[in-house]
């Protein structure tokens, strides 16, 4: 049996601005609107479909596995924008990156309060 995640919906107050934020940080493209969704496709084929949601948004966590070189590039964009970042998902180690499993990782928030993460090694991969 083959199972792959194809897409997920990301709640946003402004779907276009939120999709643009993610695409700009990760160096990706925003796709054309499809129904009520603004898609951002990740290189492994998974699409994050941004959809406007009224009222409060429950923050979700989205983690992106990247290469060491891509980490440097993306982290540079985070710093250039002056975004606060943390080494941990609980936002206690402000301005730091972690080195779990011999890699690097950091967390930052999107405009809707979603907790975004970039990491260079999957958790539990050793190191």
């Amino acid at each position: 049996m083959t199972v792959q995640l194809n897409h997920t919906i990301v709640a946003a107050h402004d779907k276009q601005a939120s999709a643009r934020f993610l695409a700009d940080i990760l160096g990706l493209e925003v796709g054309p609107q499809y129904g009520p969704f603004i898609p951002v496709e990740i290189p492994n084929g998974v699409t994050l479909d941004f959809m406007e949601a009224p009222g409060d948004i429950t923050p979700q966590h989205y983690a992106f596995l990247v290469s060491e070189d891509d980490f440097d590039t993306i982290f540079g964009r985070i710093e250039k924008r002056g975004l606060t970042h943390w080494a941990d998902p609980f936002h206690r180690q402000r301005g730091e990156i972690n080195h779990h499993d011999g890699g690097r990782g950091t967390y930052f928030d999107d405009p809707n309060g979603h907790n975004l993460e970039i990491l260079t090694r999957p958790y539990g991969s050793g190191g």
Side-chain angles (χ1 to χ4, degrees):
M1 175 170 68
T2 301
V3 178
Q4 296 180 343
L5 180 64
N6 177 263
H7 68 277
T8 190
I9 297 172
V10 181
H13 291 297
D14 180 334
K15 63 186 176 188
Q16 186 66 45
S18 297
R20 172 62 41 216
F21 173 86
L22 180 68
D24 287 350
I25 290 290
L26 296 182
L28 302 172
E29 297 293 323
V30 174
Q33 184 163 332
Y34 179 76
F37 308 110
I38 301 289
V40 175
E41 185 174 345
I42 308 302
N44 66 350
V46 175
T47 303
L48 282 78
D49 293 330
F50 289 82
M51 183 175 93
E52 294 198 11
D56 294 337
I57 292 176
T58 301
Q60 300 296 314
H61 174 69
Y62 300 96
F64 303 95
L65 183 63
V66 300
S67 71
E68 289 287 340
D69 288 341
D70 287 338
F71 184 95
D72 291 336
T73 301
I74 294 166
F75 188 70
R77 291 181 189 123
I78 291 168
E79 288 188 309
K80 185 175 181 178
R81 286 182 175 227
L83 299 175
T84 302
H85 64 92
W86 300 267
D88 65 301
F90 305 107
H91 295 179
R92 294 184 186 135
Q93 297 170 291
R94 184 181 179 135
E96 298 179 36
I97 62 171
N98 66 56
H99 297 279
H100 301 310
D101 292 295
R104 295 184 290 164
T106 197
Y107 298 79
F108 58 101
D109 289 342
D110 90 336
N112 302 288
H114 295 303
N115 192 15
L116 306 181
E117 175 185 9
I118 54 170
L119 67 159
T120 61
R121 296 282 304 263
Y123 291 116
S125 63

